[in-house]
Amino acid sequence: MPLWNRRYGCSSRPTAFITGWTIFVLFGIACYSVVLKTTSGIQLSNKDAVGSPMKGGSIPNAPGVPIYVMMPLTSVSDDGQLKKVYDGKNISWILEQWKKLGVEGLMVDIWFGLVEREPRQYDWKPYIELCELMKAAKLKLQTVLSFHRCGGNVGDRCYIPLPKWIFVVAKNDSDIFFKDRDGNADDEYLSWGIDEQPVLMGRTAVQVYQDFFVSFRETFREFFGNVISQVQIGLGPAGELRYPSYQLNKWTFCGVGEFQCFDKYLLSRLQSEADKRGISDWGHPPYAKDVGFYNSSPSETLFFRDDGGMWNTRYGDFFLNWYSNELIQHADRVLTAAGQVFFDRSNTNNDFTGQFHLAVKVAGVHWHFRSKAHASELTAGYYNTRYRNGYSPIFRVLKKHEATVVFTCMEMKDNNQPKDCYCSPEDLVGLIVRSSIANNISFAGENAVSFYDVESYRQISAVSRSYAVTKGKPMEAVTYLRWPEPIDIFFQQDALSILGQKFLDFVRSMAYDQAESVDFPGL
């Protein structure tokens, strides 16, 4: 059987997989519909709280999935203050409502740009306050160590840049940031070309991250396990392990994006790899005339076109392997540093094994997924094509560090996407789920964009059930994007709104996981 038959469950196009996946999703929706209740004007009390079915909530035997909710990006102000009033409602009251609604906890971004305003000087005060409030409310907290800029991505309603001292360095060396082929630097995240280069006032990028981890550990050790249940490490733009290939100030959906390896550090690493392999002439990224521009379609390019494209040549394979491996090595370096800080087996005081999980987010680049080259995934750093599973090499590194993969776009359906973009979020989610199971790593999910409709809840529910059936246990968690703004979209003074009721139904359906024994398609 050809490789792509085994991996995608299909031959020339993923028809068989789509059919099986569609049947499975319909089954999941049917399960969800059994649980879904239509009510109005619900008043919540403590007895309504579902809690976590996995952690001894009020449904202790339900084999379901704990639900978390992302807090607003601006939960901490520019001047380092925890926001305590939302739309006239005190944060303690809001946390009480979330608890009554049955969520396991919340997720918060801990911004590099707010915490380390000066080198090695850390201000954790607002996040300590939040942990204390969460503890009082008996809620868990997923923390995201966000080493990226807030602003410039889909749904961003804030602007929190990297620390000013980073830009002092960049003034004399803009190559600390990723660059496209025109030399445009993207200051959203540090290039992993400097992971091991001591250019940040005497520190490498990995040392900067590790020092941050140490300060975080010493500050929050009392909250590990009893409040903090997950530490997600931001490994790229938007906190995702990827290159900044589709920047919104240059790109529009559904362009192929551009390769982002033109800073001097990554270019040097590319040339060194080519020299090592005895193919020095290949020590350069693809030429502009071959790959097009941010908003090109694959068929307009020599590199990404389906038939005869350069992606499927020896040079294309060399470059794409190198490009993806740089991303994978970055994850390995940073997770190694995190493991040394949080799971130090030689020092029991610094070994928090079993108290929380590390996690890494992988982006849901679903456009052009039904093409052969998967151009948009390639520019983002995922060497995934119709004939090659590009996610398993990433997941093997996550398994090495016992880190959870967090994946987005769980709510998306193929039939809601533009046909000329060859999108398939459903097939992509299926591939990610199968690959995570095959590599025996924990899987958690998120939605990619904010929503309040029942169909999107049902889609997430269907995916979670298919995972549970195939894996034999539930997903680690689902994190809902995002805490509604204004908050009375869910919580009115004396009752849940209609939209809040829909979310409550979703939480309950995820707790009562009633999936039957059905194989996950294509495994």
Side-chain angles (χ1 to χ4, degrees):
M1 181 182 293
L3 179 64
W4 53 94
N5 275 23
R6 297 199 304 271
R7 284 181 172 155
Y8 287 84
C10 65
S11 52
S12 61
R13 296 187 81 81
T15 310
F17 175 78
I18 293 171
T19 302
W21 174 245
T22 302
I23 292 171
F24 212 66
V25 167
L26 290 174
F27 169 77
I29 290 174
C31 290
Y32 179 93
S33 299
V34 170
V35 178
L36 190 67
K37 300 179 178 70
T38 54
T39 56
S40 61
I42 289 180
Q43 289 189 338
L44 287 179
S45 63
N46 287 327
K47 65 183 177 63
D48 295 308
V50 177
S52 169
M54 300 175 66
K55 305 279 182 65
S58 59
I59 312 179
N61 298 317
V65 180
I67 304 299
Y68 288 77
V69 177
M70 294 186 196
M71 295 185 70
L73 294 171
T74 54
S75 297
V76 174
S77 64
D78 292 345
D79 60 352
Q81 301 299 312
L82 179 67
K83 187 174 181 180
K84 296 178 180 177
V85 177
Y86 292 85
D87 309 305
K89 296 178 175 64
N90 185 274
I91 188 172
S92 295
W93 181 87
I94 296 172
L95 295 181
E96 181 183 350
Q97 306 316 303
W98 285 122
K99 181 65 177 178
K100 291 176 180 178
L101 209 55
V103 303
E104 178 75 3
L106 303 180
M107 171 184 278
V108 66
D109 285 276
I110 298 179
W111 296 106
F112 181 34
L114 296 181
V115 173
E116 192 177 353
R117 295 175 189 267
E118 298 294 336
R120 295 190 178 93
Q121 296 180 28
Y122 307 95
D123 178 11
W124 302 105
K125 180 182 176 182
Y127 300 106
I128 295 171
E129 288 185 77
L130 178 61
C131 283
E132 290 170 344
L133 288 168
M134 297 291 287
K135 185 176 183 178
K138 298 181 180 180
L139 290 168
K140 298 291 187 181
L141 187 65
Q142 296 175 326
T143 55
V144 184
L145 304 186
S146 297
F147 294 107
H148 63 284
R149 179 194 70 213
C150 179
N153 287 295
V154 175
D156 284 357
R157 297 182 180 179
C158 65
Y159 181 71
I160 303 172
L162 301 187
K164 289 182 179 179
W165 61 269
I166 292 287
F167 291 95
V168 172
V169 176
K171 187 175 181 180
N172 296 315
D173 185 5
S174 61
D175 290 277
I176 66 173
F177 299 126
F178 291 105
K179 287 185 176 180
D180 63 19
R181 64 164 176 265
D182 294 323
N184 298 311
D186 178 59
D187 62 10
E188 185 178 358
Y189 189 84
L190 295 170
S191 166
W192 33 76
I194 65 167
D195 274 359
E196 299 175 302
Q197 299 292 328
V199 296
L200 300 174
M201 298 185 178
R203 291 188 292 171
T204 68
V206 170
Q207 287 172 336
V208 169
Y209 304 140
Q210 189 164 34
D211 289 344
F212 196 92
F213 299 154
V214 170
S215 181
F216 177 76
R217 180 194 68 197
E218 294 307 302
T219 304
F220 292 93
R221 60 170 60 243
E222 68 177 284
F223 298 109
F224 291 154
N226 63 349
V227 175
I228 296 174
S229 58
Q230 183 189 90
V231 177
Q232 186 181 129
I233 299 176
L235 291 177
E240 299 167 332
L241 179 60
R242 64 172 176 86
Y243 289 86
S245 56
Y246 47 97
Q247 303 162 39
L248 293 186
N249 61 339
K250 300 181 180 71
W251 171 89
T252 56
F253 187 82
C254 53
V256 297
E258 288 192 12
F259 293 114
Q260 304 287 318
C261 56
F262 290 84
D263 63 83
K264 66 184 181 184
Y265 300 103
L266 285 177
L267 286 176
S268 175
R269 292 176 65 87
L270 173 57
Q271 187 63 62
S272 294
E273 183 66 18
D275 292 343
K276 184 173 68 175
R277 292 173 177 265
I279 46 176
S280 297
D281 290 347
W282 287 0
H284 61 84
Y287 298 123
K289 62 183 179 64
D290 298 325
V291 295
F293 303 93
Y294 283 99
N295 295 309
S296 297
S297 65
S299 61
E300 295 172 337
T301 74
L302 292 173
F303 195 91
F304 298 118
R305 64 187 183 186
D306 271 359
D307 298 318
M310 293 175 64
W311 62 275
N312 203 21
T313 64
R314 288 180 59 210
Y315 165 75
D317 180 62
F318 162 74
F319 172 76
L320 293 170
N321 254 310
W322 171 83
Y323 190 69
S324 179
N325 283 337
E326 287 295 316
L327 173 149
I328 293 169
Q329 290 174 37
H330 170 65
D332 190 27
R333 292 184 203 109
V334 179
L335 288 173
T336 297
Q340 292 169 349
V341 172
F342 297 121
F343 310 119
D344 182 0
R345 300 295 176 90
S346 65
N347 184 345
T348 56
N349 289 329
N350 294 332
D351 184 5
F352 298 96
T353 302
Q355 297 189 37
F356 65 86
H357 294 147
L358 294 181
V360 171
K361 186 187 292 190
V362 172
V365 185
H366 60 83
W367 50 105
H368 305 303
F369 189 85
R370 291 190 180 184
S371 68
K372 292 180 180 178
H374 295 217
S376 301
E377 289 169 273
L378 299 184
T379 58
Y382 307 137
Y383 188 7
N384 187 63
T385 71
R386 182 175 294 180
Y387 315 120
R388 185 183 192 278
N389 184 331
Y391 296 98
S392 277
I394 297 172
F395 293 171
R396 284 193 288 271
V397 169
L398 300 193
K399 177 60 181 176
K400 172 183 173 182
H401 300 283
E402 293 299 332
T404 298
V405 60
V406 179
F407 195 70
T408 62
C409 73
M410 284 187 63
E411 85 285 11
M412 289 186 171
K413 301 186 71 172
D414 290 3
N415 60 12
N416 294 329
Q417 308 301 320
K419 296 186 182 301
D420 59 348
C421 292
Y422 296 93
C423 302
S424 186
E426 294 179 57
D427 283 2
L428 176 57
V429 169
L431 173 62
I432 295 295
V433 167
R434 297 196 310 277
S435 299
S436 70
I437 293 173
N439 288 281
N440 195 27
I441 62 172
S442 185
F443 176 80
E446 297 178 358
N447 48 301
V449 296
S450 295
F451 71 85
Y452 302 110
D453 62 285
V454 170
E455 287 304 312
S456 295
Y457 289 130
R458 286 174 173 167
Q459 182 69 10
I460 293 176
S461 181
V463 173
S464 72
R465 280 156 173 69
S466 64
Y467 178 90
V469 166
T470 309
K471 179 71 172 177
K473 65 179 183 180
M475 295 166 49
E476 182 176 310
V478 167
T479 303
Y480 175 75
L481 184 160
R482 170 178 315 274
W483 175 316
E485 298 181 86
I487 196 68
D488 60 9
I489 290 177
F490 276 9
F491 303 124
Q492 297 172 355
Q493 194 59 44
D494 299 316
L496 272 178
S497 69
I498 293 176
L499 295 179
Q501 293 164 31
K502 291 179 180 179
F503 184 77
L504 173 61
D505 291 334
F506 168 66
V507 173
R508 286 174 169 170
S509 78
M510 295 292 279
Y512 288 109
D513 192 336
Q514 302 296 325
E516 298 176 6
S517 179
V518 180
D519 290 335
F520 198 100
L523 185 65

